[in-house]
């Protein structure tokens, strides 16, 4: 079993100016301790984007919900928390594939991963995507982030190209949930011409995203086992109307 949530301590200063979690332990009795968590922003750590996280300017949230309160009620994370998430997971290790092909791959360079490369990686690994799969893409970014200086600014990362072709590929493949080890799944800084993959997937297709997942140990185990599919589970927090949640994700190989 592999826990796919990166330790919160890795992100001493969360990206995008988000607040850091404050954790204190209080004595509530002579022999009893309890935890208190303040300023928990799930988006700052390994997390799942809910369908009420991003809206399309012209059409609203997924399903055409324009009102924020209605969107949170109809699309809130509490619906997933009631049933949890489980399915066939598939890891596409783009970073390892590039290195194996002799390509100098810097995960912090901001290079794009196009659908054709995802197909090539799947072919190399001998795995075929099936409708309903939970697809995880390893870019190597989180591993690189751990090694860099703590005060080095984060301005770029490799990720899926944000264009329409990527959205079409994911839709046609029947992907049910998409995750990566970078901060946004899509590449950054990206380009205005490509647009936003978040806006193509969340409000338009109802395809949610997971970010900052810990995939390195799982990738090594997949190589050793010679297979890239596994049981994936996630248990979002049961918070009514939440628009995101800590990932609480596991891979069982």
């Amino acid at each position: 079993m592999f826990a796919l949530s990166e330790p919160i301590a890795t992100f001493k200063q969360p990206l995008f100016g988000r607040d850091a979690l404050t954790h204190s332990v209080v004595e509530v009795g002579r022999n009893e301790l309890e935890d208190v968590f303040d300023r928990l922003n799930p988006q700052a750590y390994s997390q799942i984007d809910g369908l009420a996280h991003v809206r399309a300017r012209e059409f609203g949230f997924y399903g055409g919900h324009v009102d924020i309160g209605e969107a949170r009620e109809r699309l809130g994370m509490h619906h997933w928390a009631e049933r949890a998430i489980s399915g066939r997971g598939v890891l596409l290790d783009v970073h390892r594939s590039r290195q194996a092909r002799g390509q100098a791959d810097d995960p912090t360079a901001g290079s794009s991963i196009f659908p054709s490369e995802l197909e090539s990686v799947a072919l190399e690994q001998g795995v075929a995507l099936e409708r309903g799969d939970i697809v995880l893409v390893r870019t190597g970014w989180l591993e690189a982030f751990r090694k860099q200086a703590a005060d080095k600014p984060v301005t770029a990362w490799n990720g899926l190209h944000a264009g329409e072709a990527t959205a079409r590929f994911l839709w046609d493949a029947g992907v049910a949930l998409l995750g990566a080890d970078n901060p946004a799944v899509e590449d950054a800084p990206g380009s205005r011409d490509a647009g936003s993959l978040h806006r193509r997937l969340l409000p338009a297709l109802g395809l949610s995203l997971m970010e900052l997942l810990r995939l390195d140990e799982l990738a090594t185990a997949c190589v050793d086992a010679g297979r890239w599919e596994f049981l994936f589970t996630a248990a979002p927090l049961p918070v009514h109307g939440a628009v995101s949640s800590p990932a609480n994700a596991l891979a069982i190989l």
Side-chain angles (χ1 to χ4, degrees), residues 95 105-111 139-145 148 152-158 188-189:
H95 182 52
D105 185 45
D106 177 4
T108 69
S111 74
T139 69
W141 183 87
L142 189 50
E143 182 180 44
F145 176 78
Q148 73 179 29
K152 181 180 179 180
V154 175
T155 59
W157 52 82
N158 298 355

Side-chain angles (χ1 to χ4, degrees), residues 97-220:
S97 172
R98 288 180 173 183
Q99 291 180 318
R101 287 183 274 115
Q103 180 176 342
D105 185 45
D106 177 4
T108 69
S111 74
S112 299
I113 301 170
F114 290 90
S116 57
E117 185 170 13
L118 294 179
E119 291 178 313
S120 295
V121 171
L123 185 63
E124 292 168 7
Q125 296 177 177
V127 64
L129 297 186
E130 299 176 2
R131 187 163 299 277
D133 280 348
I134 298 163
V135 176
L136 309 180
V137 179
R138 179 171 178 260
T139 69
W141 183 87
L142 189 50
E143 182 180 44
F145 176 78
R146 296 189 205 103
K147 296 176 181 178
Q148 73 179 29
D151 58 350
K152 181 180 179 180
V154 175
T155 59
W157 52 82
N158 298 355
L160 300 191
H161 187 261
E164 183 177 323
T166 301
R168 286 185 177 276
F169 168 79
L170 296 168
W171 176 263
D172 290 344
V175 174
L177 185 62
L178 177 66
D181 59 347
N182 66 12
V185 178
E186 57 196 286
D187 59 344
S191 69
R192 181 179 294 274
D193 291 340
S196 166
L197 192 61
H198 269 64
R199 287 181 171 81
R200 296 186 191 281
L201 299 184
L202 285 161
L205 301 183
L207 176 55
S208 282
L209 306 172
M210 299 177 290
E211 298 151 357
L212 297 174
L213 297 181
R214 184 185 186 97
L215 301 179
D216 303 319
E217 292 86 353
L218 174 61
T220 298

Side-chain angles (χ1 to χ4, degrees), residues 12-31:
K12 295 179 176 62
Q13 179 53 57
L15 305 179
F16 310 115
R18 291 168 175 149
D19 291 332
L21 171 71
T22 300
H23 174 213
S24 58
V25 177
V26 298
E27 292 188 65
V28 295
R30 186 175 181 179
N31 301 303

